[in-house]
Amino acid sequence: MQSVPSKALERLWRVLAALLICKVTVSVLWNYRDYLPPDFSAAFLIGREGYFFGSYSWAFYPHILAGPCTLIIGLLLLSERFRRRFPKWHRILGRIQVACVLLLVAPSGLWMARYAETGAVAAVGFATLAILTGASAVLGWRLAVQRRFAEHRRWMWRCYILLCSAVVLRLLGGLATVADVGADWPYQFAAWISWMVPLSIFELTGFLKRRARLE
Ligand code: HEM
């Protein structure tokens, strides 16, 4: 069993992480003034005018609409308190979340990966991320339908951690700007570590908790 201080510490971490996710989501939304209508002198859109109005915009707009929704809905879905108090809402929001991930965020992310800034290394990182996010949503959803709730929770945590790569990527982008690194490699590196590191930490802590329970 967890001690009281370690439970309090875990709770504090969760509150801080939730605040950080909300803060980054608000700053992402703030940038939408450059996208509606598209301003091709804005950082993300520089050099994209040639292909933007084709299939790219059909992926881009659903992506930037659904992405922030999944981050906020995910916070509610992972809250034990919310699930206990509002089980019906947990189920409704859960279905909305899975639909957003499978129909909008993952497929649009996969399509946009082809055009990733800095080229193939980042593109493969984002494409892998899109496939893993979609796969974890499918698995988590199927486990809920089969009423295997402990495994359902673990897969939904994985799915959310993968979605939060969008937050980590922007924090790493901020660091690269502060450090004034002008090269391509920080972005290419970030396209991979923004999801690999948080996912590895989750798997490691899960493993250590399970081992401690067996001792
Ligand atoms: C986990 C699945 C996701 C994948 C695979 C993915 C993939 C991508 C890709 C490939 C790009 C273009 C990057 C480039 O051209 O360099 C992009 C841009 C973008 N993504 Fe995602 N993304 C995911 C989740 C999210 C989430 C959860 C959000 C919510 C904030 C989000 C918000 C955005 C926004 C706003 C952009 C436009 C660029 C910007 O304003 O920073 N994405 N995404």
Side-chain angles (χ1 to χ4, degrees):
M1 223 170 76
Q2 265 185 307
S3 63
V4 174
S6 92
K7 259 190 175 173
L9 198 64
E10 191 174 320
R11 208 174 139 63
L12 180 68
W13 270 117
R14 284 189 186 199
V15 171
L16 290 177
L19 287 174
L20 187 63
I21 290 166
C22 291
K23 201 246 157 232
V24 173
T25 305
V26 170
S27 58
V28 165
L29 292 172
W30 181 246
N31 284 341
Y32 287 8
R33 64 199 196 287
D34 294 333
Y35 305 150
L36 299 157
D39 169 3
F40 293 100
S41 64
F44 180 75
L45 292 180
I46 290 174
R48 297 188 194 262
E49 201 163 358
Y51 57 77
F52 188 85
F53 291 108
S55 55
Y56 193 84
S57 64
W58 285 95
F60 180 75
Y61 287 112
H63 188 83
I64 68 165
L65 177 77
C69 296
T70 60
L71 288 182
I72 301 304
I73 295 176
L75 279 180
L76 291 173
L77 288 170
L78 293 175
S79 154
E80 289 277 323
R81 207 176 283 184
F82 180 82
R83 179 169 53 81
R84 286 210 193 99
R85 283 191 68 179
F86 309 105
K88 196 175 148 203
W89 275 104
H90 179 85
R91 284 195 295 274
I92 294 172
L93 289 178
R95 287 186 193 118
I96 295 175
Q97 180 79 336
V98 169
C100 278
V101 171
L102 291 181
L103 302 176
L104 301 171
V105 180
S108 58
L110 189 58
W111 186 262
M112 288 158 66
R114 291 178 58 198
Y115 303 90
E117 233 177 284
T118 72
V121 175
V124 179
F126 288 131
T128 312
L129 169 68
I131 292 165
L132 292 180
T133 310
S136 55
V138 170
L139 280 167
W141 171 40
R142 285 194 52 185
L143 288 161
V145 173
Q146 293 166 3
R147 307 185 71 76
R148 290 159 62 184
F149 294 121
E151 292 160 274
H152 158 69
R153 265 198 292 280
R154 272 207 295 278
W155 277 103
M156 284 316 192
W157 264 103
R158 288 183 181 112
C159 182
Y160 191 65
I161 286 167
L162 292 169
L163 288 168
C164 283
S165 59
V167 173
V168 181
L169 192 71
R170 278 148 187 90
L171 294 175
L172 293 173
L175 276 180
T177 308
V178 171
D180 199 18
V181 192
D184 283 352
W185 68 263
Y187 189 72
Q188 296 168 343
F189 193 54
W192 286 92
I193 63 161
S194 59
W195 56 272
M196 282 181 110
V197 170
L199 194 61
S200 306
I201 294 173
F202 173 75
E203 299 301 345
L204 186 68
T205 50
F207 170 76
L208 293 176
K209 273 185 189 169
R210 279 194 296 279
R211 205 177 62 171
R213 248 183 265 134
L214 291 176
E215 278 169 5

